[in-house]
Amino acid sequence: MLARSLVVESMRLGQFLSDEVSFALHPYGLSIQQFNVLRILRGCQEKPASLQYITSRMIHKTSNTTRIVDRLLEKKLVDRKPCAENRRMIEITITKQGLSLLTTIDPVIDKKENEVASRLSEKELTALLDNYKKLFVTL
């Protein structure tokens, strides 16, 4: 019964956090998945990324990365071009407009994350993160 409570409460918390971040992103016209792709690309530090790489780094593994990138292309937040060495591969990079949007959104998301985290002490946060890591590794 304790295991079920852990799973149910974790799912409820995950949905709550997802809803909070979605609400924070709404004024910027981004979904969580689009935001995730932009952050992944920013982390590449101007190096192009493949669709496979982006998918491997996504939080929501079931996301259709191609469709998400297409939407970001329409918004001019990413660029896509064929790889010079392998024409079958596509290289994706974040645009200056995409970087600028992330710079605008970062403080909003930081504030939301800090609101949630402020409910626990630093010691409790550390313990919770350690326990999450234990659970995730075993799954």
Side-chain angles (χ1 to χ4, degrees):
M1 193 64 172
L2 202 51
R4 180 172 295 151
S5 293
L6 169 69
V7 171
V8 169
E9 291 304 316
S10 295
M11 291 171 67
R12 288 182 63 219
L13 177 61
Q15 187 60 53
F16 167 76
L17 295 173
S18 183
D19 290 347
E20 290 291 308
V21 172
S22 289
F23 184 76
L25 292 172
H26 183 73
Y28 304 97
L30 288 180
S31 68
I32 290 178
Q33 292 83 2
Q34 291 169 345
F35 178 63
N36 189 213
V37 168
L38 289 176
R39 288 181 22 161
I40 291 165
L41 292 172
R42 178 174 59 184
C44 291
Q45 300 175 354
E46 299 182 20
K47 293 177 186 166
S50 67
L51 283 170
Q52 294 80 7
Y53 176 78
I54 294 169
T55 301
S56 74
R57 304 282 300 160
M58 293 285 291
I59 294 170
H60 301 93
K61 300 287 186 204
T62 59
S63 298
N64 183 336
T65 309
T66 302
R67 183 180 51 80
I68 295 167
V69 169
D70 287 345
R71 293 242 169 92
L72 292 171
L73 270 166
E74 291 170 9
K75 297 176 183 190
K76 301 186 182 341
L77 300 175
V78 301
D79 282 327
R80 177 176 62 192
K81 66 179 181 175
C83 175
E85 294 86 38
N86 181 352
R87 288 277 189 210
R88 291 179 293 173
M89 250 179 74
I90 301 295
E91 294 181 332
I92 301 141
T93 55
I94 190 168
T95 63
K96 288 182 181 180
Q97 187 176 341
L99 287 170
S100 176
L101 181 59
L102 282 181
T103 299
T104 301
I105 294 173
D106 283 341
V108 175
I109 298 301
D110 289 347
K111 181 180 178 193
K112 184 57 65 182
E113 291 169 347
N114 287 326
E115 281 176 19
V116 172
S118 71
R119 298 171 188 163
L120 298 174
S121 70
E122 190 170 331
K123 184 177 180 181
E124 290 170 321
L125 283 171
T126 301
L128 182 60
L129 286 170
D130 288 345
N131 286 323
Y132 277 167
K133 288 174 188 173
K134 286 180 194 174
L135 288 171
F136 192 67
V137 169
T138 60
L139 295 177

